[in-house]
Each structure stands twice: as C-alpha cells, then as structure tokens.
Amino acid sequence: MKNKELNSLKEYKYGFTTQIEDFKAPKGLTEETVRFISKIKKEPKWLLDWRLRAFKRLKSLKEPNWQKPKYPKIQYQDLYYFSSPKSLKDKPKSLDEVDPKLIETYKKLGIPLDEQKRLSGVAVDAVFDSVSVATTFKGELTKKGIIFCSISEAIQKHPSLVKKYLGSVIPLTDHYFATLNSAVFTDGSFVYIPPNVKCPMELSTYFRINASQTGQFERTLIIADKGSYVSYLEGCTAPMRDENQLHAANVELIALDDAEIKYSTVQNWYPGDEKGNGGIYNFVTKRGVCKGKNSKISWTQVETGSAITWKYPSCILQGDNSVGEFYSIAITNNHQKADTGTKMIHLGKNTKSKIISKGISAGNADNTYRGLVDINRKALHSRNYTQCDSLLMGNSCGAHTIPYIKNKNASSIIEHEATTSKINEDQLFYCNQRGLNQEEAVSLIVNGFCKEVLQQLPMEFAVEAQKLVSISLEGSVG
Amino acid sequence: MLKIINLKASTGGKDILKGLNLEIKTGEVHAIMGPNGSGKSTLANVLSGKPGYDISGEINFEGKKLNNVPIEERAQNGIFLAFQYPLEIPGVNTSNFLRTAINSIRKAKGEKELDALSFIKLIKEKASELKIDEKFLSRQLNVGFSGGEKKKNEILQMKLLEPKLSVLDETDSGLDIDALRIVADGVNSYKNKDNSFLIITHYQRLLDYIKPDYIHVLSNGKIIKTGRSELGQQLEKTGYKYLN
Ligand SMILES: Nc1ncnc2c1ncn2[C@@H]1O[C@H](COP(=O)(O)OP(=O)(O)O)[C@@H](O)[C@H]1O
Ligand SMILES: [Mg+2]
C-alpha cells in the first residue's frame, strides 16, 4: 500500500509543457536541415563547411553499441533538429522584449531571468529547445573581460576564439553522436575567461526541452585562459511525454597554464514513467583538456533524470602537473538506465586524477560505472585514485563497475577501490527509531552516501541537489 | 504506560521471547538483567517495532495496542531506544541528524519545527549537560566515535527527543567510571513522574546511580524473577545461577 501512495507523490514537477508557437527546421536529418540551421543563425561560411564535413562523415559512421543500456532504433528522419519559439526569431535585445510565457516558464522552473530576482551570485544563460533566451549579468561580467553568451552570439561576435577552439577537444570525427552534434548543433553557451581573472560569480546554463519530436543538440565551449578560474553549472529539465527524446550535447573545456575550470551538472531530464515509457535519451560527449601546465579541470555531475544516461565526462591531462577530477552521483529508479563514468588520459608528467563515483540503483533500474584511466608512457610520476561505490535498493535493480586501467610507465600509480552494498536495514531502523519516516531515512542515508560528491557542488546548488537526490528515490523502499 | 502480555518473538526459526509479561507504570524505573543471549535486546527491538520478528501476544502502550504500529510512529508517540550498538551513518552530520529527528517528532505532535538557531541553542545546552564537546555535533553520525562517545550520544538524543518511555540497552557497558556517572546523571536529570525507564544492564554499578523501582531477571526468553533493588545486589554476589 505504502509504495503506491508514495509513487503518486513522486511526480516529476518539471513535466509541464509551455504552449508557445514555435517554428522548426524541416523534419529529418538531411543536408538541407544542416544548411537551414546554419542559415538561420547567419553563420560564416567556414562554419557551414565545418558542419557539412561533419554531416558527410556521419553517413559513414554507425551508432556505437557497446554500452550496456540498449534502446530501440532512433528514427533520425522523423526528428526535428531545430525548434525555436517564434517570438525569438528576431533575437530580443533585452529581457523586456522576451515573450512573457518564456519568462514564466523559467520562473516555474525556479530560474528567475529577471536580474532583480536573480539567484544571488549566479549568472544564467537560458536555453529553450534550440535557442538561447537570455543571459543575465552580462554587464558585470563584461567589465572583467569575461565573455558569457550563447554560442550563436559568440560565433558572430568572437569568431576567432570560436574558430580556434571549436572541435579542438572533441574532433568533428570523434564518434557518431559527437559528429551528429557537430553537424546540427543549435545553441549552447560560450565562456571565455581572460588571463588571471577569477570569475566573480557562478556561470550557469539552464537547458529546457519543450517541443515534441525534437532533438536537442547543444554545444558548449569554455576557455579558461592562463591563470584564470571559472565555475560553471548546467541544469536540465523537460516535459513529460511518452515519446523518447534525444539529447546529444557536446561540451568542450580548455584550460591553459595555471587555469582551473569547475564544471557541474545537475541533470534532471524527464526520466520516463514508472513503466519505462518515455523519457530523455541523454547521450552526451563532454571532454576537457588541461592544455597548460598546472591546470585543473573538475567535473561534478548529479545525474538523476533521463530514461538512459550515457556519458563519460573526460579529462586529457596534457600539461605537466595538471589535475583532473570526476565526482559523480548517478541515481536510477524504476526503469532508468545509466552507463556513465569518465576517462582520464594522462599525457603530461606529474599529472593527477581522482575519480569518485556514487551509483544508486532502485526499482528495476540498471546502473553501470565505466571508466578509463590511461597513463601514457611519458606521463612519468602520475597518479590516479578511483573510488566507485554502488548502493542497491531492493532486489530487482543492478549495479556494475567496469574499470579499464592502462598504466604504461612504472613510476606512476593507479589505485582503485570499489564497493557494492545494499541499503543497510539497521541504519534505516536506527533512523526510524528516532522518528524519521522511511522516506526521510532513505534520503538521509543516501545523501550521506553521496556526501563527498555533493560537497563539490557550488553552495547555491547543493541544497537543490540534495532535494533532488531524495525526490528521485521516493517510493523506492518500504 | 507499558503493558506486555504473553509476548513471544521468534526470528530465523529461533524462538527468543517465550511468553513475557511486564507492566511499567508512569514514573517507574524498571531494570532488566539477565545472561547473554537471554533475549534482552530482542525485547528492546520488538518494543521499538524492528521488522523481522514473528510476534504473538500483546504490547500496549498508553492504552493503545502497538503490535502493528510502524517504528517511527512508536518513536513519535514517545518510545525511545538507546541502542546497545549505535549505528554509524557515514556522510550524515550528527547535528543535522538530530535536528531532522526532533523535527520529525515535533511535526508528528503537531508542534512547530525548530528553526536552525533555536535548535543550535537547544543542542548546545543538552550537549554541555552531558559534557559532550560541541565538535562532535559536526562530525559524521557515530563514525569513529569511541564506545563511550556513542553511548553518550544516545543519551543526548534521549534528552533531546523527550520520550515517555526510554529503553536503555546496555548503555553502561564499556563506559569508564566518569562516563558512567555522566550518563547516570543524564538519566536522573531527565527522569520525572511523567516518564518511565526500562534499563537493560549487566551491572549493579549503574543501578547504584539510577535507583530502579523493580528489577527483573530475564532468562531464556522469560522473566523468571522480579524483585526490588536488593535483588541487584544479590545477583552481583551470586550470579544468575542460583536462580535456576
Ligand atoms: N536475527 C537473529 N537470528 C537468529 N538468532 C538471533 C537473531 N537475533 C538474535 N538471535 C539470538 O537470540 C538470542 C537472544 O539475543 P539477544 O536478544 O540479542 O540477547 P541479549 O541481548 O539478551 O544478549 C541469542 O541467542 C541470539 O543469538
Ligand atoms: Mg543485548
């Protein structure tokens, strides 16, 4: 009885749809679509050519199929690759010109775009389907020489930076979904931090899928110049639909000498219903290069949504003494599936990487950690520490840990620890005896289990993430 | 306050409690002594509603049958168990845990939840009464606490949650003399005419500090002897054997 009641509580509160007129690219994955997107965004010729090269390459590629979660064949010709609210066709110059329906949507999602009611200390770029709606706090950032805008705007205003770095971390030809993204990417965020500037606030992008039968292919590019620092966070939600929607993003990070990028994700795409109908396919390529010496890239992800999550935010540790970190919480409930982890490629000397992964599986869900640590022959005196913990709730879910380890020089050390446990009944009893109900007890214990990762999140988002962890597991025990 | 009638409990095919009767009136302190494995912790667990036991007989608390009441409701109604082996919960901040607990109980009673500031004030006051260093409150719950520290933390929770019936399961085991006195003082300062105690112990020395109204001897799942406080001293001298 309890389960049923609880399940009805577990409503996906971001599942609403905004009724708004949109205009779309012609249906289907064709050269025409690629040209349409490029044209509507008034892109320079080099970028159109770049997209077309990706499109051509795509035809010779196959979708990878080594991942654990299988899914029905995606009908690429039945999808729309570009969708934008009509009102954004001529990009509004200020927030006053933005359709109130859009502002209302973000308000409902807890993301006020109005700077008066802003999240304190957080600048937001809001992406709705294929286009950026608004970016807040631009003025303040510009004073420091920081560029934070949609990638479409960056292509117009900062073409040399975009040209230099776009595709420099994830090559055009990388793999099926990355190449698909390169051909049809629509919008996303662009960040450039000038030398020796510490970005004074959190930068954040909020992705929202609204239109149906539409894929979202966003592209994010972050460049931290020498000695700079930036902390960036992305959040994502989508309406409840019984179709599966594809989200195939590419995110590239570049850290030059002594620079640091902290990239956090709170992913709460619609996960599908309890029976496994609908939900987002979250097939994302995220990769950062620690290009300069002493640079650092840190990925933190809280993955609670999506029907299938399939992503490996990675670090290429090229500069000597560079550091890569990956902190992950992946929660799967009902019929959700996740195959996620990281790749740490050590090229420079004295490079260090750290991987902390917390997988939580409930219901009939399946959760795989898959990670590669590759220490190159020349990456002398490098170190990796990996810790993968899995927590199982109930008897019908699965957890797997698949580490690939390559250490090609004797001066380097790789340490790997892994645990799998069931939620501890005695701990639950202890909490219940202190008056906590089952939900509160599970939430407390799971949040404790995830602590090391949660505490990596920027303060403004840590509380939200904790709540999300609890909500995602409601109804999973008892 | 508590009335147990012919309570039987078994688990994993083993009969542990075999027809136990016990009545504790409001304001009374009862002690249970008995050899290892006689079923003392099982009684404490069953009173708290721990799952996994087959139960027959009746447990009445404040005139209400408890048998099918969920664990947290019993706690909210005023039953508190100080665990023989308090659980470690990694990653959970002690102070947050205590605040969640007190607010769950307040909510259930229809009282207003404590805000962060009033909670901190309250917890600091209770902690200092038990000579618990404030640093403990920001540590992970029971993780790396010494045996004595864990036990003191249990008594802290008792004082914070203000139960009607406190069941202390070997809270005195593993305590040094000073800690024992602090724990006993903690209990005595909380004890009043409106609440009751069931104290499970092996040692008379705790009962020198906390004077029980009755002492029961539990053996092989049954209470085989009940007496006044002299019974404790007698047992101390002769052991349980003479009772058989
Ligand atoms: N889950 C269980 N399965 C089987 N036997 C158990 C279980 N729990 C307790 N017992 C047994 O029941 C008896 C009573 O245990 P317990 O109540 O812990 O005793 P005490 O607290 O008096 O030392 C012991 O023999 C113990 O081994
Ligand atoms: Mg015991």
Side-chain angles (χ1 to χ4, degrees):
Chain A
M1 67 118 208
K2 212 169 165 188
N3 248 331
K4 207 162 195 177
E5 278 168 29
L6 294 173
N7 270 332
S8 65
L9 282 176
K10 195 214 144 128
E11 283 244 321
Y12 180 72
K13 73 172 179 185
Y14 308 104
F16 65 90
T17 307
T18 307
Q19 294 305 330
I20 197 160
E21 249 190 297
D22 54 17
F23 85 102
K24 290 183 167 126
K27 209 183 224 180
L29 183 56
T30 60
E31 187 175 321
E32 196 196 337
T33 298
V34 175
R35 286 180 182 278
F36 177 96
I37 293 170
S38 189
K39 188 165 172 212
I40 207 143
K41 294 156 74 66
K42 304 190 178 78
E43 287 177 353
K45 182 161 183 312
W46 67 264
L47 191 51
L48 172 64
D49 292 343
W50 194 80
R51 288 178 181 275
L52 290 172
R53 257 189 292 144
F55 180 70
K56 198 168 156 211
R57 173 70 186 212
L58 187 66
K59 290 189 209 160
S60 65
L61 292 177
K62 281 208 173 65
E63 280 174 59
N65 67 353
W66 42 261
Q67 85 289 5
K68 202 151 179 303
K70 302 297 176 204
Y71 53 92
K73 204 165 162 41
I74 297 171
Q75 299 302 328
Y76 291 96
Q77 298 308 340
D78 289 343
L79 288 183
Y80 291 103
Y81 290 83
F82 182 87
S83 168
S84 159
K86 255 194 180 141
S87 59
L88 289 179
K89 197 165 174 187
D90 300 307
K91 189 158 170 60
K93 284 176 198 66
S94 76
L95 214 53
D96 302 338
E97 292 176 24
V98 173
D99 188 335
K101 269 188 188 164
L102 285 172
I103 296 190
E104 189 54 35
T105 299
Y106 283 93
K107 214 167 112 194
K108 253 167 114 173
L109 296 169
I111 316 288
L113 296 181
D114 184 345
E115 287 190 13
Q116 253 71 65
K117 300 187 199 89
R118 66 204 173 174
L119 289 161
S120 59
V122 184
V124 181
D125 181 25
V127 176
F128 190 87
D129 288 336
S130 309
V131 289
S132 166
V133 176
T135 310
T136 61
F137 284 107
K138 265 194 169 156
E140 219 175 311
L141 295 169
T142 310
K143 271 186 231 147
K144 298 219 160 207
I146 294 167
I147 306 170
F148 177 42
C149 61
S150 70
I151 193 132
S152 306
E153 190 180 329
I155 290 163
Q156 303 301 331
K157 294 192 180 157
H158 312 282
S160 55
L161 278 173
V162 177
K163 197 168 176 182
K164 182 167 176 191
Y165 290 109
L166 187 74
S168 70
V169 192
I170 305 172
L172 201 97
T173 52
D174 201 70
H175 68 98
Y176 189 86
F177 292 105
T179 304
L180 173 64
N181 176 287
S182 300
V184 299
F185 78 87
T186 46
D187 219 335
S189 295
F190 177 83
V191 176
Y192 172 77
I193 314 288
N196 302 317
V197 170
K198 303 240 170 301
C199 185
M201 58 181 88
E202 300 287 332
L203 302 185
S204 152
T205 303
Y206 195 89
F207 294 100
R208 172 78 177 164
I209 297 181
N210 189 63
S212 69
Q213 288 179 287
T214 302
Q216 196 182 46
F217 304 94
E218 94 261 0
R219 183 111 199 171
T220 292
L221 181 57
I222 299 178
I223 303 143
D225 213 321
K226 291 180 182 170
S228 69
Y229 169 84
V230 63
S231 170
Y232 176 93
L233 182 128
E234 58 168 10
C236 345
T237 58
M240 294 160 78
R241 296 186 198 286
D242 50 18
E243 57 176 327
N244 291 111
Q245 283 182 283
L246 176 63
H247 170 87
N250 280 8
V251 174
E252 295 176 282
L253 313 183
I254 296 113
L256 302 182
D257 288 356
D258 306 295
E260 179 175 351
I261 302 175
K262 201 172 149 58
Y263 191 106
S264 314
T265 304
V266 176
Q267 184 265 112
N268 186 23
W269 295 120
Y270 177 54
D273 67 14
E274 297 106 274
K275 298 206 181 73
N277 300 313
I280 301 289
Y281 291 159
N282 185 34
F283 300 168
V284 169
T285 308
K286 288 185 168 164
R287 199 175 299 161
V289 58
C290 285
K291 220 174 160 62
K293 62 174 170 45
N294 310 320
S295 56
K296 179 173 175 186
I297 289 179
S298 181
W299 297 100
T300 303
Q301 60 173 25
V302 179
E303 303 282 327
T304 64
S306 297
I308 303 177
T309 292
W310 185 12
K311 59 181 282 206
Y312 312 93
S314 303
C315 297
I316 300 165
L317 303 172
Q318 189 180 322
D320 289 346
N321 313 316
S322 59
V323 177
E325 293 176 340
F326 175 73
Y327 297 95
S328 170
I329 298 169
I331 300 183
T332 48
N333 196 357
N334 297 317
H335 290 269
Q336 281 177 279
K337 295 179 171 56
D339 191 319
T340 183
T342 183
K343 291 185 222 171
M344 294 291 175
I345 314 292
H346 293 249
L347 303 176
K349 294 188 192 68
N350 298 313
T351 47
K352 288 196 186 69
S353 63
K354 181 169 169 188
I355 300 170
I356 307 283
S357 161
K358 306 279 176 176
I360 299 147
S361 210
N364 295 296
D366 203 65
N367 205 320
T368 300
Y369 168 83
R370 190 189 301 272
L372 168 69
V373 177
D374 185 344
I375 300 187
N376 218 264
R377 203 165 44 82
K378 290 185 180 151
L380 298 171
H381 308 290
S382 293
R383 290 196 78 127
N384 162 267
Y385 174 73
T386 301
Q387 185 190 325
C388 294
D389 298 317
S390 305
L391 188 64
L392 296 167
M393 324 239 279
N395 296 317
S396 320
C397 53
H400 319 272
T401 302
I402 310 177
Y404 303 90
I405 294 170
K406 296 180 189 164
N407 189 351
K408 297 166 192 155
N409 73 65
S411 65
S412 295
I413 301 170
I414 296 180
E415 283 175 89
H416 179 94
E417 287 176 28
T419 66
T420 300
S421 51
K422 282 200 147 183
I423 188 143
N424 185 315
E425 298 288 332
D426 288 332
Q427 286 177 344
L428 283 175
F429 173 53
Y430 189 69
C431 294
N432 292 150
Q433 212 301 306
R434 297 305 184 247
L436 279 66
N437 65 30
Q438 201 73 345
E439 305 279 287
E440 290 170 319
V442 169
S443 152
L444 191 92
I445 294 168
V446 172
N447 271 301
F449 174 78
C450 297
K451 176 74 170 292
E452 278 168 282
V453 177
L454 287 170
Q455 68 192 12
Q456 295 297 325
L457 287 173
M459 258 239 293
E460 290 85 347
F461 299 95
V463 177
E464 270 310 300
Q466 275 180 37
K467 279 192 215 147
L468 194 56
V469 166
S470 315
I471 292 167
S472 314
L473 288 168
E474 270 173 14
S476 56
V477 172
Chain B
M1 176 164 298
L2 178 75
K3 190 166 186 181
I4 299 174
I5 305 161
N6 196 25
L7 179 66
K8 295 181 183 166
S10 63
T11 184
K14 183 177 159 71
D15 296 329
I16 304 174
L17 299 181
K18 301 171 181 170
L20 184 142
N21 295 292
L22 177 66
E23 182 170 3
I24 300 180
K25 297 213 172 75
T26 305
E28 287 180 349
V29 175
H30 290 234
I32 289 202
M33 304 182 85
N36 291 328
S38 57
K40 302 182 297 296
S41 291
T42 303
L43 173 62
N45 289 340
V46 167
L47 277 177
S48 322
K50 186 175 184 182
Y53 297 97
D54 289 325
I55 308 259
S56 70
E58 229 178 271
I59 306 170
N60 289 299
F61 181 66
E62 305 240 281
K64 198 180 149 204
K65 192 170 164 189
L66 267 193
N67 293 42
N68 293 316
V69 176
I71 313 164
E72 66 269 22
E73 246 180 86
R74 300 186 197 204
Q76 291 157 1
N77 289 335
I79 294 183
F80 178 87
L81 169 59
F83 282 61
Q84 183 175 359
Y85 304 109
L87 274 293
E88 299 185 0
I89 309 191
V92 173
N93 175 284
T94 302
S95 165
N96 279 351
F97 174 77
L98 298 180
R99 187 166 161 217
T100 312
I102 192 167
N103 280 334
S104 303
I105 287 176
R106 290 177 73 100
K107 243 187 323 193
K109 285 185 187 160
E111 291 168 17
K112 225 178 103 224
E113 291 186 37
L114 281 186
D115 61 64
L117 278 179
S118 355
F119 173 75
I120 289 173
K121 199 164 156 267
L122 180 69
I123 186 80
K124 280 190 174 170
E125 180 192 311
K126 303 279 180 198
S128 89
E129 282 172 26
L130 289 165
K131 302 195 170 55
I132 293 175
D133 193 324
E134 275 172 32
K135 275 188 304 217
F136 277 96
L137 303 174
S138 53
R139 282 174 54 178
Q140 302 179 41
L141 184 60
N142 289 327
V143 176
F145 286 26
S146 73
E149 288 160 353
K150 284 182 184 171
K151 297 297 180 72
K152 278 210 244 173
N153 191 20
E154 295 292 287
I155 298 303
L156 173 66
Q157 295 180 48
M158 178 191 83
K159 296 190 69 159
L160 201 62
L161 302 180
E162 303 186 329
K164 292 180 191 144
L165 173 67
S166 305
V167 181
L168 311 186
D169 190 359
E170 293 200 28
T171 301
D172 54 334
S173 295
L175 293 186
D176 62 37
I177 310 272
D178 293 338
L180 182 75
R181 186 166 295 143
I182 292 166
V183 162
D185 288 348
V187 171
N188 285 329
S189 68
Y190 177 58
K191 196 175 78 172
N192 63 37
K193 64 177 181 12
D194 297 320
N195 57 33
S196 310
F197 285 84
L198 181 61
I199 297 175
I200 297 169
T201 180
H202 282 299
Y203 306 105
Q204 175 58 30
R205 55 176 197 166
L206 179 67
L207 304 181
D208 291 340
Y209 291 109
I210 309 169
K211 289 269 173 286
D213 297 295
Y214 297 94
I215 295 180
H216 311 277
V217 177
L218 184 69
S219 173
N220 196 17
K222 275 186 180 167
I223 289 178
I224 55 164
K225 190 162 177 75
T226 294
R228 293 287 185 160
S229 52
E230 316 79 60
L231 179 58
Q233 284 130 29
Q234 196 180 342
L235 289 170
E236 186 88 340
K237 280 193 217 110
T238 57
Y240 298 112
K241 275 194 217 105
Y242 96 105
L243 292 171
N244 299 331

